[in-house]
Amino acid sequence: MKSATIFGAVAVCFAGILLYLYRPVWQFDHLEQNAKKVITGDELQAWATHLLAQYPSNTTLRASALGTNFPQRLLSLAPDLGPSVRVKFPDDTNSPGWVSLCWGSGFLGSRFLEVGPTNFADKSSKAYAWQPGVYFYRP
């Protein structure tokens, strides 16, 4: 009876550890669908165009450094994996700038939300359009 209790306790602890380790993987695998639940493309574009005006050159930022100037609902999507924020402007001055949000790790890879004005177009075959100017990218 005592060995069964010990075995049960060890099994419960082992299951808890596995669930704890799997959580970031699950969050990463469901990043796009969970993002769509917490923010709209219009909200992302309003935020991104404001950020593009604040940072008129290529810049890499931490979401935490932006404080309230970051859509807080995105922080809970995969907190162990990001996001990092990059403001990007192409060399071609006829193309608009955009903001890239990246979640990832060396083990899991990366996922991106790329957001710009409605005339921003991500031409990658791995980018999924939410609406004109807002793309989710799975490399």
Side-chain angles (χ1 to χ4, degrees):
M1 183 72 163
K2 190 174 189 175
S3 63
T5 302
I6 292 171
F7 177 76
V10 169
V12 167
C13 289
F14 185 70
I17 290 169
L18 286 178
L19 287 173
Y20 175 78
L21 293 174
Y22 182 69
R23 182 174 168 246
V25 174
W26 186 91
Q27 290 173 330
F28 190 72
D29 287 344
H30 295 86
L31 192 65
E32 181 180 15
Q33 71 189 51
N34 289 335
K36 284 184 176 183
K37 291 177 186 177
V38 299
I39 197 161
T40 67
D42 290 336
E43 290 172 313
L44 281 169
Q45 279 182 309
W47 168 74
T49 54
H50 177 72
L51 200 64
L52 288 165
Q54 272 190 298
Y55 297 92
S57 61
N58 292 338
T59 308
T60 300
L61 306 161
R62 298 185 64 86
S64 59
L66 291 170
T68 58
N69 191 21
F70 183 81
Q72 298 299 305
R73 295 168 286 182
L74 295 177
L75 293 175
S76 64
L77 295 178
D80 296 334
L81 304 172
S84 63
V85 180
R86 292 187 185 107
V87 177
K88 297 182 175 185
F89 290 91
D91 293 332
D92 173 11
T93 57
N94 294 327
S95 299
W98 71 95
V99 176
S100 179
L101 300 169
C102 176
W103 289 264
S105 74
F107 175 69
L108 295 172
S110 299
R111 301 282 191 271
F112 299 90
L113 264 170
E114 296 196 329
V115 187
T118 55
N119 63 335
F120 165 65
D122 189 322
K123 305 219 183 325
S124 168
S125 62
K126 296 179 180 182
Y128 299 91
W130 282 17
Q131 67 185 43
V134 181
Y135 298 88
F136 187 82
Y137 181 78
R138 284 179 256 159

